[in-house]
Amino acid sequence: MAVAMQVELLGIPRQRAGVAELEIEAATLGQLLDALAARYPSLADLFRAGRADRLGPFVAANLNGDRFVTDPRTRLAATDRILILSADAGG
Amino acid sequence: MPPGYHGCYLRIDVSDGSADHVPLPAGVLRRFLGGAGLGAWLLSRESGACPDPLAAGAPLIFVFSPLVGSPLTTSAKFAVVSRSPLTDRINDSLASSGFALAGKRCGCDAIVVVGRAARLSVLVIDDGRVRLDPGGHLRGATCGAAEKTLRTRLGPDYKIASIGPAGERLVRYATISHDGRHAGRGGSGTVLGSKNLKAVAVRGTRYSTWAHPRELTERSRQLSKRSFGPATAKYRELGTAANLLTFNRFGALPTRNFQTGTFDAAAQVSAEEIRATRTRTRASCAACTIGCEHIYSIEDGEGTRLEYESLFALGPLCGVGDPDAVLRASKLCDELGIDTISVGGTIAFAMECVERGWLDEPWLTFGRGESVLRAIELAGRREGIGHLLAEGSRRAAGAIGHDSIRFAPQVKGLEIPGYEPRALQTMALGFAVGTRGADHNRSGAYEVDFSAAVDRRRVTVDAVRHAIDTEDRAALMDSLILCKFLRGVFDDFYGEAAEMLNLVTGWDTSAAELRRAAKGIVHAKREFNRRVGWTPAEDTLPERFLQGALPNDPAAALSRERLRAVVDEYHRQRGCEEPSPAADNASA
Ligand code: SF4
C-alpha cells in the first residue's frame, strides 16, 4: 500500500527539479522514482530503467542516510526518508 | 613502432642544453601504455640513485599517450611524473589540452627533463629541436601572465606549461599550469622550479598515425554522443562542486580541519547557491565534449573555475562560508600556481594549531575568508608564516611539535582531499594505501561507499577488492589517457578501452590484457616507492581518524584495528606480503 514519505533530492536531481525536499506517496522505491519522474519530467532520463531488480546506472537511492538500496522492489515505510542522488557522487 | 606512438622519448639535460631521442621498446609501450603508466616506468629507469626529488639529477617527465591527438573525446591529456618533494614518493599529476597535442607532435611519447639551468629559463622544444631561452623577465609572473607573455613572444602555435611564483620559490605543492588547468598535486611545479625552468614551450608537426582511422572516427563519434547523456549530467550541469551538499548530507564533508563532517554554512558555498547568484560560463579542455568547467564571476575581476576540491579545501575545511572569499582564494591559488587541496589542508591545520595556542598567529582563525587569502599569499610567496605553510602539513607539524602530526590532514605528506575518512571508509582505505598519498584521483573507492556494495561506516575486508578495482581502473584511465568524468558512459570499460586502443595502435589487446596492464602499472608505482624507502607502516591514516567517531555521527568511527585489517588484506591481495604495522604508527 502506498504511503506518504519525505524525499530529499541532492545534486542533479535537486538542480533539475528545483526542490530540495518533497513528499511522495509510494509503496516501493520503483514507484517512488516513477512518481518523481511523472512530477518532474526532466528527471526521467536520470531514472532510466535498469533491470527489474536493479536501478538504472545513473541514480542512487539511500534510506535515511544509512543504507544504499538498488532494488526497485524495496518496500518503503512512512518513517523512511529517501535520498535520491546521481550515481556518480564524488570525482 | 605501433601507430599512435613515436617510439621514443626526448631526454633533455637543462644543465648543458643537450638532448637525445631515446628509443622506447614496443613491449614497454604495450605494458605501460602512456601517461601515468609509462611515466612510472620512465621514472624508475631515469631516477638512478638520486636521493632528493629537488636534486639536479632528479627527472621530471611529461608523458603523452597513444590516444592523444585522436578524435576520442577527453583524450588530449598529459601526465607529469616525478618523485614528489612533498611525499618523497612517486607523483603523477595530469593536465589537459594543447600542451598534450603539441608536445606529442614534437615527435616523442614523453619528455624527460633532468639537470638544472644556470639561471631562470624557458625550455623551448620546436619540433624536437631544443633550446633554453632566458626567463629572468618572467620572474614572479603568475601562471597566466607567464603563459600569455610567452605566447605573444613565441607565437600562437606554441603551447606553454608554466609555474607561478610558488614554483619559483619551491613551495612544496606548486603546480604546473597550462591554459588555466593544473597538474596539481604533489609538487610537479616545485620540481620544474628546482630546475630553474619557468616554463616549457612546445610545438611540432609530427603527427602520429592511427591503425584504423575510419573505424576510429566512427567509434569516437559514438563515444562523443554518449558523453552528452545522463552519465555526465553532473559535470555538465553543476560540475564537481555538486558534491558539496551531497557530502554534507552524508556527514562526509571535511570541516574545520576534519574536526567534523558537516558544515553549518554549506548551503552558502554550495554550487547551487553560487550558480544562482553569479554569472557563469562553461569551458572545456581541448577535444572534450563534456565541458565540466564552470567559471563563475568574481566581483572585482575575471571569473574563476570552481571545482569541488578547491571549494571544500578553501571553504568548509577552513570554516569559511563566504562564497566570494572562496572564489577569490581559488583564483589566487591558480595565479600563484599552488595546489588548492594542499594549501587549504595546511592552512586549516595551522588554524587548529593557533586555536590550541601552539602557533602565535592570532589572525589565522577558522571562518575568516580574509585570513585564508592572506595565508595563501604568504605561502605562495614564502613570506613570514608562509615559510612554514609552504612545507605542507606534515613538515609543518614536525616544526610545531606538540605531537600535532596526529591531526595533520595528510597521508605520506599529501593533504587529504574532500572525503571524510570516517564517513567513507572504503575511501579511507584508498587514502591509506595510495602510492602518491591521500588521493581521490588514483583511487575511486568513494564510489563504493556511495553504493549498496558496502556499509560506508563499517569497512570490512570485503571492501578491499572493490578498492583495488577502482585503483586499477584509474591506473588504466590515467595511462590511456581518458578523463575520469567519462567513466560512467562505459558499460564494459576494459572491453571498450581495448577496442579503442586497438583501433589506434593496431594491436590485438583484450580486456583481460588491459586488466593485467592496470595491475602492472599500480605495481610499478608501488615498486618505485619501495625502492625509495616505502614501508608498510606508511599505509595508514593520521591518529585523528582512528580515535572515536565524528562528533555528530556516532556510527562514523574507524578503529585502528579495522584499518589495520583492511590495509593488511590490501597488501596481501596486491602481493606486498610484509606484515603491516599499519595504523600503529600514524606519524610514520
Ligand atoms: S570533463 Fe572536464 S576535466 Fe574532463 S576533459 Fe572534459 S573539461 Fe577536461
Side-chain angles (χ1 to χ4, degrees), chain B residues 74 77 96 283-285 288 290-293 483 485:
Chain B
T74 79
K77 291 192 178 283
S96 308
S284 67
C285 302
C288 170
I290 299 173
C292 71
E293 296 178 353
C483 181
F485 298 161

Side-chain angles (χ1 to χ4, degrees), chain B residues 156-277:
Chain B
D157 43 350
Y158 274 97
K159 303 299 171 194
I160 292 139
S162 71
I163 56 173
E168 291 173 39
R169 291 175 174 82
L170 305 185
V171 174
R172 285 188 186 271
Y173 41 82
T175 66
I176 294 177
S177 166
H178 166 60
D179 198 21
R181 299 168 189 88
H182 296 256
R185 302 232 67 195
S188 305
T190 324
V191 182
L192 193 61
S194 76
K195 302 198 171 304
N196 249 336
L197 292 180
K198 178 70 181 178
V200 180
V202 291
R203 78 170 174 183
T205 57
R206 304 181 203 188
Y207 290 82
S208 55
T209 56
W210 310 324
H212 304 285
R214 214 160 30 123
E215 293 86 340
L216 180 65
T217 305
E218 175 54 23
R219 190 71 182 70
S220 303
R221 201 185 55 76
Q222 289 166 12
L223 190 65
S224 296
K225 196 167 160 209
R226 282 152 70 191
S227 77
F228 298 132
T232 59
K234 177 176 115 179
Y235 305 106
R236 285 180 283 117
E237 294 175 31
L238 275 174
T240 54
N243 295 344
L244 191 121
L245 284 184
T246 302
F247 283 28
N248 195 52
R249 178 62 182 84
F250 284 92
L253 176 63
T255 298
R256 292 182 172 247
N257 194 33
F258 289 86
Q259 293 185 74
T260 176
T262 54
F263 184 46
D264 290 344
Q268 284 166 228
V269 287
S270 66
E272 291 82 347
E273 172 64 19
I274 291 175
R275 184 186 153 121
T277 53

